[in-house]
Amino acid sequence: MGRLEAHFGVKCEFEQDTQDSSEYGRVRVPAEATVCGTRIVVCVSKFGSLAEICADNPGAFLGTEDAREEGALDPGDLATVERALAESGYVSVPEELLESDYEGPTAPECFEGRPTWWGRFFGTM
């Protein structure tokens, strides 16, 4: 979180440890600190050093490419967040990839509807 605050020059809100979730927490870069005026949300998984970058909120767009095309996410801001994550040892997983089907072992009751990679590594259980 400190690297994001340093790179964007603002205080970032941090929410941690959602109950019954595979998500460790979220860091929010305020909208007023971004080029496009849309907040950036970074979701951190409890599994390894995985992180997801979203414009506004997870699922608000079909992914970062869609958010960029709609004018909600600046490529420079995205690169800044990706750099801050890499400097902290995190791997950024594209939102588009996380929405694909998860076919690994899991209890069926852990997912509503079809299992996705997002549900497995970031969703609620």
Side-chain angles (χ1 to χ4, degrees):
M1 180 166 69
R3 291 184 193 272
L4 285 173
E5 291 178 341
H7 285 298
F8 282 95
V10 295
K11 180 124 177 86
C12 295
E13 180 184 330
F14 180 66
E15 176 187 336
Q16 184 179 6
D17 214 10
T18 305
Q19 185 175 350
D20 299 327
S21 175
S22 297
E23 187 178 284
Y24 178 72
R26 292 183 181 188
V27 180
R28 293 179 181 89
V29 178
E32 58 271 10
T34 69
V35 172
C36 295
T38 303
R39 74 177 174 175
I40 298 172
V41 177
V42 178
C43 303
V44 179
S45 176
K46 289 180 181 175
F47 292 92
S49 297
L50 301 176
E52 170 191 26
I53 303 168
C54 309
D56 191 37
N57 256 330
F61 295 89
L62 297 175
T64 54
E65 186 62 33
D66 183 47
R68 286 175 49 200
E69 289 173 4
E70 297 221 12
L73 182 61
D74 177 70
D77 284 347
L78 177 59
T80 298
V81 175
E82 288 174 338
R83 185 173 54 254
L85 288 171
E87 290 170 355
S88 300
Y90 286 90
V91 174
S92 176
V93 182
E95 189 171 13
E96 298 87 339
L97 177 63
L98 291 169
E99 284 304 315
S100 60
D101 291 343
Y102 176 74
E103 296 176 5
T106 187
E109 64 272 5
C110 290
F111 294 99
E112 291 182 25
R114 71 173 177 64
T116 63
W117 283 95
W118 189 89
R120 173 66 176 93
F121 290 102
F122 295 92
T124 56
M125 300 279 180

